[in-house]
Amino acid sequence: MVTNAMTDAQTQGERQNRIIDRAASALRRYQVMAYVTGVMLLLLTVEMLIIYAFQATHLKPYIAWIPFAHGWIYVVYLITVVDMWVKMRWDFTRLITMILGGVVPVMSFVVERRVTVDAHARLAAARDLARGVA
């Protein structure tokens, strides 16, 4: 009977550690995509300035790939945002903020920093709690 209870507690602790590890992996993927998306958004802003503000349409063939690349990178960013949001069980406003981070120039860097700090704190608390269970 005692052995069965210990086995259940160990199994529960291992399950919680797997969940925490998946959330930590989602955080790393999100961090990478937040930076890539932020850089691509800055490139897109520069591309738009060159084409529309400076009327340098002769450069358009050389930089026409930027909006296309940013669009697909943003789709991957959205997938990582939703994955992170689901695993961390944040509220809906956090999801909206993270989504907007890939649309507003420089915002992805600010949002990424705040999300990372909060996620690390939650992961540390979850690890402490999992150690107490095992």
Side-chain angles (χ1 to χ4, degrees):
M1 190 77 139
V2 173
T3 324
N4 193 17
M6 281 183 58
T7 306
D8 288 343
Q10 287 174 341
T11 304
Q12 182 68 14
E14 290 171 6
R15 181 176 174 271
Q16 288 176 345
N17 284 331
R18 283 194 305 272
I19 291 170
I20 293 166
D21 290 342
R22 288 182 189 136
S25 294
L27 173 61
R28 284 188 293 277
R29 287 189 300 273
Y30 166 74
Q31 288 175 302
V32 168
M33 287 311 302
Y35 277 100
V36 170
T37 302
V39 169
M40 286 305 298
L41 188 55
L42 290 175
L43 283 175
L44 179 64
T45 304
V46 169
E47 186 259 353
M48 291 176 72
L49 283 172
I50 289 170
I51 299 297
Y52 299 109
F54 300 127
Q55 300 293 316
T57 54
H58 65 283
L59 295 175
K60 193 167 185 168
Y62 302 108
I63 56 178
W65 61 272
I66 295 173
F68 181 77
H70 171 69
W72 282 106
I73 288 171
Y74 184 68
V75 169
V76 175
Y77 171 76
L78 288 177
I79 292 168
T80 61
V81 162
V82 170
D83 182 43
M84 178 75 177
W85 178 70
V86 167
K87 287 186 171 118
M88 295 303 290
R89 298 179 183 188
W90 279 319
D91 61 355
F92 191 69
T93 55
R94 175 64 61 98
L95 175 66
I96 299 301
T97 304
M98 291 168 69
I99 287 172
L100 289 176
V103 178
V104 179
V106 183
M107 188 174 167
S108 68
F109 303 115
V110 175
V111 171
E112 183 276 332
R113 189 76 241 140
R114 291 183 181 171
V115 165
T116 299
V117 167
D118 187 26
H120 280 302
R122 286 175 177 249
L123 290 171
R127 283 190 180 103
D128 290 344
L129 188 62
R131 274 190 223 110
V133 171

